[in-house]
Amino acid sequence: MRGTGTFITFEGIDGSGKSTQIKRLAEHLRTSGHEVVLTREPGGSPGAEEIRALVLQGDPDRWSAETEILLFTAARRDHLERTILPALAKGSIVLCDRFADSTRMYQGLSRGDLRGVVDKLHNLIITHEPDLTVLIDMDPAVGLSRALSRQTADERFEAFGEDLQRAMRQGFLDLAQEFKSRFRVVDGARDIDLVATDIARLVDSELG
Ligand code: ADP
Ligand code: TYD
């Protein structure tokens, strides 16, 4: 079903450095001779990129919390079918910027306690979990100032503010405890090169 590849996800609050670090890890692994597929959520396949625009742009209040969970899950299913599983079947390392843990946090926490709904839908429609999840942890004040300095169209979640980002940080740390065997927590409030070296080392050791 999964093939011989390795599925690695990056998680963390907005601005924690996921996109920066995932690119660095891709370069590192390619230099070591691995076939790497770099992808992201929401998105990562043509259909899922269309859904990304629906959830991250425009008036966020046009979706109820439950509809939003369905949209993120629909995007993930398409991404799995068309990008992730085919790449794993070929033996590639798939590096994905956010995955189901982001839904557990963002949709599970931010508009009431909907974690149960998120988990049920995940178990029904997605079923796959990553082999390894790198959580880039840092104080939200640092992440928020980095995120706000970027002027992108995806402002929907970055407008959350510091209190919610603080709850997210704790939520991600709790998830790392819940799924201990696949999570590795990295301190992201350091120089880019130091963080990249840590991540390369831990992924190399997991790949054996
Ligand atoms: P994310 O994908 O988690 O939202 P990014 O990788 O896009 O985070 O980083 C957010 C911003 O912070 C970018 O402008 C990036 O260049 C910068 N940045 C990333 N990592 C660091 C770091 N370790 N120190 C300082 N700035 C960083
Ligand atoms: P993006 O611009 O990619 O942000 P970041 O660089 O911080 O990852 O936007 C992704 C946003 O979508 C981010 O704020 C988190 C949110 N999101 C969810 O709410 N649920 C999800 O399942 C996923 C994958 C992302």
Side-chain angles (χ1 to χ4, degrees):
M1 288 210 319
R2 272 284 289 273
T4 52
T6 306
F7 183 27
I8 302 177
T9 59
F10 276 58
E11 297 283 358
I13 56 172
D14 294 316
S16 55
K18 296 178 301 301
S19 324
T20 305
Q21 293 298 335
I22 206 167
K23 282 185 209 126
R24 293 286 297 263
L25 180 63
E27 283 164 22
H28 169 76
L29 292 172
R30 282 177 183 138
T31 304
S32 313
H34 293 285
E35 188 63 43
V36 176
V37 172
L38 181 52
T39 187
R40 66 152 179 198
E41 289 209 348
S45 61
E49 290 290 334
E50 288 184 40
I51 299 174
R52 178 185 176 95
L54 293 176
V55 287
L56 295 186
Q57 292 172 27
D59 178 8
D61 292 331
R62 71 197 192 288
W63 310 121
S64 73
E66 288 77 4
T67 306
E68 195 178 279
I69 295 171
L70 289 166
L71 287 168
F72 276 105
T73 307
R76 180 160 306 127
R77 175 75 199 197
D78 192 68
H79 184 209
L80 256 185
E81 286 176 6
R82 292 171 195 262
T83 303
I84 299 174
L85 293 178
L88 292 175
K90 284 189 202 150
S92 301
I93 297 178
V94 175
L95 301 182
C96 187
D97 192 339
R98 296 192 182 279
F99 191 66
D101 296 313
S102 281
T103 316
R104 292 183 173 109
M105 286 300 96
Y106 287 81
Q107 282 62 51
L109 280 186
S110 67
R111 298 169 78 180
D113 182 7
L114 289 173
R115 173 74 195 274
V117 179
V118 171
D119 284 343
K120 275 188 197 145
L121 204 55
H122 178 85
N123 293 338
L124 192 65
I125 299 296
I126 305 299
T127 66
H128 295 82
E129 295 288 356
D131 298 302
L132 184 70
T133 298
V134 177
L135 172 58
I136 304 186
D137 175 60
M138 69 164 60
D139 188 311
V142 180
L144 199 64
S145 71
R146 289 182 190 170
L148 292 176
S149 69
R150 292 177 301 178
Q151 302 287 320
T152 64
D154 300 347
E155 287 167 359
R156 170 169 181 4
F157 293 91
E158 285 159 3
F160 267 173
E162 206 172 315
D163 281 352
L164 196 48
Q165 295 286 3
R166 217 166 273 290
M168 294 293 174
R169 179 199 196 179
Q170 189 54 51
F172 275 121
L173 290 170
D174 293 344
L175 270 187
Q177 285 300 313
E178 188 177 337
F179 300 103
K180 252 194 177 117
S181 61
R182 71 174 160 90
F183 263 89
R184 299 291 176 272
V185 183
V186 172
D187 174 9
R190 294 174 297 156
D191 180 81
I192 290 180
D193 289 338
L194 286 178
V195 180
T197 304
D198 262 15
I199 293 173
R201 198 175 293 143
L202 79 84
V203 169
D204 284 346
S205 98
E206 291 296 327
L207 291 173

